[in-house]
Amino acid sequence: MSSVSRKLDTLRNKAKSFLGTMIDLSTSDGSTFHNHAVQRLLIVATVAAYLTIVAVSLCPAEYRPKTGLIPGPMEHLFAYLVLGLLAAWSTRRRLRPLWLAAFNAILAGGLELLQNFSPGRGPSVLDFSASAVGSAIGIAVMIMVLRGLRQGT
């Protein structure tokens, strides 16, 4: 094994160890302060992500932030992908992924419909679809990461 391969293996093992500590939090009873602190931080981040998406979705068009880097539907996909990652991570033992994906899709659809009442905004099936797909991808990715860390692969 070459020196570079050993260094890559060491780096991979350190990353897995760090992620395992931060993501899996492997104690089943959640007894350590670290577990509780990280879990609370995840919940706060998830709630903040939901509130941000609601606020940005319902604000008038003139105040809506735009990245200018990617088209609207891709912004939806990315925002809901991050939301899906956070929500799946913070609710990993409390909520089934299918229910979480359904909730996020219903939220996306409801927010799209409510845009009828926001000046300069209107609903879009494409935006709804991008949001629902982004959320599902985020949830699926986080489930795979959590399962992989739990299995030690």
Side-chain angles (χ1 to χ4, degrees):
M1 182 181 271
S2 73
S3 172
V4 173
S5 295
R6 279 193 300 272
K7 287 180 182 179
L8 285 174
D9 284 342
T10 302
L11 183 61
R12 186 180 307 118
N13 289 335
K14 285 181 180 181
K16 189 186 291 186
S17 173
F18 173 75
L19 287 173
T21 302
M22 294 302 294
I23 294 175
D24 192 29
L25 305 174
S26 56
T27 62
S28 60
D29 64 354
S31 59
T32 67
F33 170 77
H34 180 67
N35 285 351
H36 290 296
V38 171
Q39 187 61 33
R40 285 188 186 116
L41 180 62
L42 284 172
I43 290 169
V44 167
T46 302
V47 169
Y50 275 110
L51 292 175
T52 300
I53 284 179
V54 168
V56 169
S57 295
L58 298 180
C59 73
E62 63 186 88
Y63 301 116
R64 182 184 176 278
K66 291 188 178 215
T67 64
L69 301 173
I70 53 178
M74 292 303 291
E75 287 179 341
H76 283 254
L77 187 124
F78 180 73
Y80 276 84
L81 186 140
V82 171
L83 179 68
L85 287 168
L86 280 171
W89 190 6
S90 66
T91 64
R92 67 189 173 278
R93 293 189 180 115
R94 292 180 199 84
L95 192 59
R96 294 189 182 266
L98 187 58
W99 288 111
L100 184 58
F103 173 78
N104 287 348
I106 291 168
L107 175 69
L111 290 173
E112 285 297 322
L113 291 174
L114 287 173
Q115 286 181 5
N116 277 318
F117 306 105
S118 184
R121 304 290 297 271
S124 164
V125 172
L126 184 59
D127 287 348
F128 162 73
S129 300
S131 300
V133 167
S135 173
I137 291 170
I139 292 166
V141 166
M142 185 53 70
I143 289 169
M144 288 187 289
V145 167
L146 291 171
R147 285 185 182 159
L149 287 171
R150 206 172 301 127
Q151 294 172 358
T153 57

